[in-house]
Amino acid sequence: MSELRVAVIGVGKMGAFHVDSLAHRVRGARVTVVSDADADRASEVAAAVGARVETDPLAAVAADDVDAVVLASPGSAHEKQVLACLEAGRPVLCEKPLTMDEPSALAVVRAEAATGRRLVQVGFMRRFDPEYAALRELVVSGEIGEALMLHCVHRNPAVPDTFTSVFAMADSVVHEVDCTRFLLGEEITAVTALKPRATGSSPEGNADPMLVLFETGSGRLVDVESFVRTGVAYEVRTELVAERGQATIGLDQNLVLRSAGRWGGSIAPDFVVRFGQAYDTQMQAFVDAAAQGTVTGPGAWDGYAAVAVCAAGVEAVITGRRVEVRLGERP
Ligand code: ISE
């Protein structure tokens, strides 16, 4: 096939990043169609890469000049749009969440299974980050024995007041859900959320930071500090504790400068900087597989499991109780 023709639906911060990635950093693809509820924004982003604008996202999915789709639209639009991609037989890279609730996410898993092909990839880009990949390899190799625990830190410098603890569970902690499943290779079976004293900039009645605890099928424990108003920078770290050693990723030690009687480095300001390379590597993998009519990255089941764990997490935040996760049957 010549260049893969891609429709990008939703061109806010993430979608615009993907358009730029497809146009300038990824090989074998070009953006032919851009769709966004904001017509001016769509025109601006499309013009920059010589794409056309399609107002109706479902028409963009089915268009003749489209081979594959990238969805960076609001989560509430994903279900319909992913199902349309399945209907049209288009490989799709869908940003999280796959859908807004467990039944609809499981319905997507089943709809994909009915096509007999792998067509849905979910945008869990950390799996394409070299540090996460190395940690997964370490776990698989057994070099430091069985993995026992993970300690995860997930900090954003600032978020709007609409970013509640419930939202943080679905939007931020969801990445730790996927990393836990990816690194340990098993499902999360229960979630507990603790709410320590809140930071002064957290809106009244909102829990920030939060401590979230995952239990896994084999009895491992994973703790996650979610703190989205640190006022510092974007910090994502994971420590693996195993039988014969520990390993840490996310130490931001790229360049250590010594000057004027001090030493130190810098921390990425946001996730697009910290995971920029991972997003591009994820897109290249998507394009390469989509050119063969399929996907190879984290799939519909991973998206469904994340939705199910986050739903339990939201219930845990609201009720203060430990909530079990019961996954449906995998087709
Ligand atoms: C954002 O939506 C992301 O997906 C980032 O990866 C995450 O770190 C951030 O907390 C979210 O708000």
Side-chain angles (χ1 to χ4, degrees):
M1 197 197 278
S2 50
E3 281 188 319
L4 185 83
R5 299 164 306 169
V6 182
V8 180
I9 300 177
V11 285
K13 177 172 174 163
M14 218 48 253
F17 181 94
H18 290 321
V19 168
D20 197 54
S21 171
L22 284 160
H24 303 297
R25 299 186 295 279
V26 161
R27 293 174 313 278
R30 78 193 147 92
V31 180
T32 48
V33 177
V34 166
S35 183
D36 195 284
D38 179 340
D40 292 340
R41 174 78 180 162
S43 304
E44 185 193 324
V45 173
V49 295
R52 70 180 179 88
V53 172
E54 177 61 71
T55 322
D56 175 6
L58 300 186
V61 167
D64 286 342
D65 53 351
V66 169
D67 304 309
V69 177
V70 172
L71 288 184
S73 47
S76 56
H78 289 177
E79 179 186 354
K80 251 193 189 162
Q81 294 170 355
V82 174
L83 290 175
C85 291
L86 291 175
E87 178 88 36
R90 307 262 192 264
V92 55
L93 172 60
C94 176
E95 282 294 346
K96 46 87 182 161
L98 177 58
T99 70
M100 300 304 281
D101 56 33
E102 289 175 70
S104 57
L106 192 56
V108 168
V109 170
R110 292 187 175 136
E112 185 196 47
T115 68
R117 295 165 64 188
R118 279 206 62 197
L119 287 169
V120 181
Q121 177 167 340
V122 179
F124 290 128
M125 76 297 180
R126 288 192 193 172
R127 294 188 185 211
F128 296 89
D129 177 76
E131 292 186 49
Y132 280 91
L135 196 55
R136 170 67 185 151
E137 267 175 40
L138 182 66
V139 170
V140 172
S141 74
E143 191 185 322
I144 56 172
E146 274 294 334
L148 303 174
M149 294 186 288
L150 294 174
H151 301 299
C152 309
V153 168
H154 190 147
R155 300 185 186 143
N156 287 19
V159 291
D161 281 359
T162 47
F163 209 112
T164 61
S165 36
V166 162
F167 189 78
M169 187 62 76
D171 203 63
S172 290
V173 178
V174 63
H175 285 291
E176 310 305 331
V177 170
D178 187 62
C179 286
T180 296
R181 298 181 62 257
F182 171 63
L183 294 172
L184 301 181
E186 61 174 332
E187 298 295 353
I188 293 169
T189 52
V191 188
T192 307
L194 300 175
K195 304 177 211 172
R197 177 183 174 140
T199 186
S201 55
S202 181
E204 185 71 32
N206 184 63
D208 187 24
M210 280 192 295
L211 270 186
V212 183
L213 189 70
F214 301 142
E215 296 167 47
T216 71
S218 74
R220 292 169 172 138
L221 289 182
V222 176
D223 59 83
V224 178
E225 175 202 309
S226 162
F227 188 7
V228 294
R229 294 173 181 82
T230 64
V232 179
Y234 184 73
E235 299 168 87
V236 167
R237 278 196 289 282
T238 302
E239 183 184 18
L240 161 73
V241 179
E243 289 173 311
R244 294 192 300 277
Q246 301 100 36
T248 307
I249 58 172
L251 291 174
D252 306 294
Q253 281 175 347
N254 298 325
L255 182 128
V256 177
L257 176 68
R258 305 168 74 89
S259 168
R262 299 169 69 94
W263 69 268
S266 58
I267 319 174
D270 69 9
F271 50 90
V272 171
V273 176
R274 165 66 181 88
F275 289 112
Q277 186 58 55
Y279 282 115
D280 286 347
T281 308
Q282 163 186 257
M283 189 59 82
Q284 187 67 64
F286 173 70
V287 165
D288 292 346
Q292 308 300 318
T294 190
V295 299
T296 52
W301 180 261
D302 301 301
Y304 160 68
V307 167
V309 174
C310 289
V314 165
E315 194 183 328
V317 171
I318 293 171
T319 63
R321 286 201 294 269
R322 170 183 178 274
V323 180
E324 293 192 354
V325 182
R326 300 200 184 285
L327 295 181
E329 196 158 324
R330 190 168 186 167

